[in-house]
Amino acid sequence: MLGNRSPRDWLASLPDSRICSLRWQSILRYAAVAFVVSITLSGIFLFRRPEGFLRQSGSHYFEYFWNQTAADHPIDQLISDAHTFHENLLTQRSLDLPTAAARYRDRRGRHPPPGFDAWFKYAAEHDAIIVESFFDRIYADVAPFWGLDPRTTAERAASWDYVVRVRNGVANGTGDTSGKVPWLQLWTSLVGEAAPWLPDVDMPINYMDESRLIVPWEDVMSLVEKEQKSQALKPAEEVITKYSGLAQVDADIAAKGDGVEPYKPKWLGGNYWELTQAACPPDSPSRNATPIQNFEELPVFPDSNPEYSYKGYVRNFTAAMNPCTQPHLRGLHGTFIEPLTMATSKELIPLFGGCKLAVNNEILIPGAMYLTDDPFYSGGNTHGPPWKQKIDGVIWRGVASGGRNKKENWVHFQRHRLIEMLNGTTVSGMEENSSRAMTFEMPPVEKYDFPRRREGTIGTWLEEHSDAGFVNFLCFPADNCAYVEPYLSRVESVPMMEQYKYKFMPDVDGNSFSARFRGFLLSTSLPLKATVYAEWHDDRLVPWLHFAPMDNTFQDLYAILDYFTRDKKGDKSAQFIAEEGRSWGAKVLRREDMLLYVWRLLLEFARVCDEKRDMLGYIDDLRSA
Ligand SMILES: *[C@@H]1O[C@H](CO)[C@@H](O)[C@H](O)[C@H]1NC(C)=O
Ligand SMILES: *[C@@H]1O[C@H](CO)[C@@H](O)[C@H](O)[C@H]1NC(C)=O
Ligand SMILES: *[C@@H]1O[C@H](CO)[C@@H](O)[C@H](O)[C@H]1NC(C)=O
Ligand SMILES: *[C@@H]1O[C@H](CO)[C@@H](O)[C@H](O)[C@H]1NC(C)=O
Ligand SMILES: *[C@@H]1O[C@H](CO)[C@@H](O)[C@H](O)[C@H]1NC(C)=O
């Protein structure tokens, strides 16, 4: 079929073959059909044949695609590695309760919590893909509470302002939400689905966009050390299989009468970067990086090659979120510049929320906005047209959130940077005059070397292929937007389902995480994602397989877009990731999966709040063995 040509030649010839011979057309058509068939088959068989299905499939496209000799771009390597990593993960899938329980003991050093059997049964009945490492986040979040007194944690959780309360198998959201977003209701109805199988437990929730707990590193370490010391697989005869319940906690709170105030730690305002520094390890670069005094100075970009990246592209997405290793983020992300609201504590209290920084101590649950059917976030039931019918370009719409942007600091905000970077007029001007823009510098050609960069045609490309802008500047003060108006203009909003007609969808943080990410993953478009915010789903998504990761500086943005749009191979790669993300998301980001995550988390949280926590466990599988 390929004659004497190597796959590398074959791929290399694609971008230039403007005049396709019939033979080439038929090859391309064959490749396209093979691609579609293999995508379909991989969806059907991937989970029955977790080991290397794609590589064994005989699909010519994938043989070429994964052939190392055709991989002449670092992103080829990253995609291939991501694929292998994910295949290995899938071999860890637990298909029955004894296996799941054994893997739990292996990874967590304890017996699973009581109620693990009902949890697994629901998972099995709903075809959930259970890989123990998908739940690592829960254990990282709950660990420090093993260092606190269980009774105190239980009382603080019960008396918070907004609580999803489970008693006798029924969930009830308590707290005054009038005039507020319906998060309490959304989370209560999710927990309600698991409530019949849950012990008494309280889930106190953060009602602010911003994450709030930032405990100094040394304090967290000493709490986590206590957790590690408390790990033990108790002999079956010592294990208690029933939670104590919260009747005593409720009675004690009731006895104190009506006027019981929820426990409130000391709330701090001030400089968020200083608090961040204290939560970073002593030997980390950010620990001694003093806060920026004058945000009117234009942002400075690092010229380092961070450990989390490979030849300029993010490899480890979790590490790329960490502000402790990236002192420059103090000048490149609104969270560290001027958050809209700030009420932060250095004390560890139980608080659940949809996202947090690597240095925060909230307990993560799926963002409430992932639980709505609001098409504003998800696009509703539409996921976009097939790849081939999409507009070859980038789209972004949103508001200029990220913190309080004003004349003295706006050039440091991540969304402003994204919009300027996607503005063809701005970029053409920079290329003509070798100048910088307000919010960014042109990435150095030594680091990102590709024809459009060398020829100075990124701007021209953007003029034709990018449609990005703010629908609201959210200026401060609100009636004076003069400081951004020379650089940006307001644009009409575009409904999510229209946005899905474009191939590329950048997604960056606002005041906190971007609640559109799940919708983007489930769409037929390709999300380009940068964030400093951790979320519940991080351990089940693989960068370069389910989405394209971006550095928080966005210095890799043009090179990533160039890779995906320079030739047929890039386009196939983009389509591949878009489709993989969509089909994988449909398996592991469902409401059922969010329920299972929260369910497992509440079993753990109820245990850590229980005075008999060291003895509590699920051991039925050991007895029958
Ligand atoms: C991969 O490429 C090399 C060199 O071009 C070639 O010898 C080999 O047969 C290719 N393998 C596959 C599976 O296409
Ligand atoms: C939920 O809590 C509120 C306030 O505590 C209470 O008035 C209401 O009866 C509870 N609802 C249920 C179903 O338990
Ligand atoms: C990614 O980095 C984190 C630390 O930030 C580390 O714990 C994790 O093991 C790394 N993941 C991989 C796949 O290397
Ligand atoms: C380039 O710089 C010159 C001189 O400062 C200026 O007049 C011109 O408008 C600039 N070009 C663009 C496209 O920004
Ligand atoms: C793009 O940049 C130009 C100035 O370079 C500006 O006038 C225009 O408003 C910007 N467009 C958007 C959508 O922000």
Side-chain angles (χ1 to χ4, degrees), residues 121-181:
K121 184 163 181 280
Y122 181 97
E125 284 170 3
H126 293 82
D127 300 317
I129 297 173
I130 301 301
V131 173
E132 187 54 33
S133 68
F134 289 0
F135 302 92
D136 282 356
R137 178 89 252 164
I138 291 177
Y139 298 87
D141 292 353
V142 172
F145 291 93
W146 284 88
L148 299 180
D149 171 52
R151 185 59 182 266
T152 311
T153 304
E155 282 175 14
R156 289 177 181 182
S159 60
W160 189 249
D161 302 319
Y162 301 97
V163 183
V164 178
R165 197 179 294 277
V166 178
R167 295 292 183 276
N168 305 315
V170 179
N172 188 4
T174 58
D176 180 7
T177 60
S178 42
K180 288 192 186 285
V181 284

Side-chain angles (χ1 to χ4, degrees), residues 85 316 318-319 322:
F85 177 83
N316 184 332
T318 315
N322 194 346

Side-chain angles (χ1 to χ4, degrees), residues 435-480:
S435 54
R436 68 163 290 158
M438 297 301 282
T439 58
F440 74 104
E441 288 163 3
M442 193 50 93
V445 69
E446 300 76 41
K447 197 163 172 188
Y448 299 105
D449 185 3
F450 50 93
R452 278 178 211 149
R453 172 72 179 88
R454 264 174 276 138
E455 292 155 13
T457 53
I458 298 174
T460 316
W461 187 85
L462 289 170
E463 279 165 26
E464 284 167 27
H465 298 275
S466 161
D467 178 0
F470 287 128
V471 299
N472 189 330
F473 286 152
L474 300 179
C475 313
F476 182 85
D479 56 355
N480 185 2

Side-chain angles (χ1 to χ4, degrees), residues 397 419-420 422-429 467-470 473 484-491:
R397 282 295 183 281
I419 296 309
E420 256 207 319
L422 291 174
N423 184 323
T425 315
T426 303
V427 176
S428 292
D467 178 0
F470 287 128
F473 286 152
V484 282
E485 274 158 356
Y487 310 100
L488 309 167
S489 17
R490 289 182 199 82
V491 291

Side-chain angles (χ1 to χ4, degrees), residues 403-623:
R404 183 171 295 105
N405 84 81
K406 51 193 188 189
K407 181 170 174 291
E408 299 80 19
N409 67 16
W410 73 274
V411 294
H412 295 269
F413 281 79
Q414 68 275 10
R415 287 193 167 188
H416 293 76
R417 179 163 68 253
L418 179 73
I419 296 309
E420 256 207 319
M421 286 188 78
L422 291 174
N423 184 323
T425 315
T426 303
V427 176
S428 292
M430 291 169 73
E431 289 177 321
E432 234 171 87
N433 282 348
S434 305
S435 54
R436 68 163 290 158
M438 297 301 282
T439 58
F440 74 104
E441 288 163 3
M442 193 50 93
V445 69
E446 300 76 41
K447 197 163 172 188
Y448 299 105
D449 185 3
F450 50 93
R452 278 178 211 149
R453 172 72 179 88
R454 264 174 276 138
E455 292 155 13
T457 53
I458 298 174
T460 316
W461 187 85
L462 289 170
E463 279 165 26
E464 284 167 27
H465 298 275
S466 161
D467 178 0
F470 287 128
V471 299
N472 189 330
F473 286 152
L474 300 179
C475 313
F476 182 85
D479 56 355
N480 185 2
C481 292
Y483 61 92
V484 282
E485 274 158 356
Y487 310 100
L488 309 167
S489 17
R490 289 182 199 82
V491 291
E492 287 295 310
S493 69
V494 175
M496 205 53 88
M497 55 182 283
E498 292 298 315
Q499 295 189 33
Y500 290 156
K501 291 183 179 162
Y502 289 74
K503 286 183 176 173
F504 304 103
M505 305 192 72
D507 189 38
V508 303
D509 299 330
N511 295 337
S512 61
F513 76 116
S514 155
R516 308 168 193 170
F517 189 36
R518 179 168 174 267
F520 284 14
L521 285 162
L522 295 173
S523 80
T524 53
S525 300
L526 176 65
L528 310 179
K529 177 75 174 174
T531 181
V532 295
Y533 284 101
E535 291 188 62
W536 77 281
H537 56 217
D538 294 347
D539 291 314
R540 56 187 66 202
L541 297 176
V542 180
W544 297 114
L545 184 62
H546 303 132
F547 64 94
M550 215 177 12
D551 193 75
N552 279 297
T553 59
F554 312 158
Q555 288 276 290
D556 48 357
L557 172 60
Y558 298 141
I560 292 171
L561 285 173
D562 177 78
Y563 168 80
F564 286 130
T565 59
R566 63 162 66 173
D567 57 19
K568 284 263 179 343
K569 181 184 69 175
D571 189 62
K572 291 275 183 219
S573 301
Q575 177 178 5
F576 174 66
I577 300 171
E579 302 273 353
E580 285 293 308
R582 173 172 155 71
S583 68
W584 180 242
K587 293 186 177 87
V588 301
L589 300 179
R590 305 166 304 165
R591 186 178 171 90
E592 293 91 323
D593 301 305
M594 297 194 266
L595 175 64
L596 282 162
Y597 185 92
V598 173
W599 181 340
R600 163 105 66 122
L601 169 60
L602 289 177
L603 294 178
E604 299 295 356
F605 188 66
R607 174 157 68 174
V608 86
C609 290
D610 195 305
E611 278 170 309
K612 297 185 180 140
R613 64 191 184 183
D614 288 314
M615 296 298 150
L616 276 176
Y618 164 79
I619 46 158
D620 281 1
D621 60 316
L622 300 180
R623 285 196 174 122

Side-chain angles (χ1 to χ4, degrees), residues 77-87 542-546:
Q77 186 65 47
L78 287 164
I79 295 173
S80 173
D81 290 351
H83 183 253
T84 309
F85 177 83
H86 193 239
E87 280 183 343
V542 180
W544 297 114
L545 184 62
H546 303 132

Side-chain angles (χ1 to χ4, degrees), residues 6 55 60 94 134 180 198 201 230 250 344 352 377 399 439 451 454 497 580 599 601:
S6 73
R55 253 169 285 181
H60 287 230
S94 300
F134 289 0
K180 288 192 186 285
L198 285 174
V201 65
S230 77
D250 290 342
T344 299
F352 292 66
Y377 289 97
V399 298
T439 58
R454 264 174 276 138
M497 55 182 283
E580 285 293 308
W599 181 340
L601 169 60

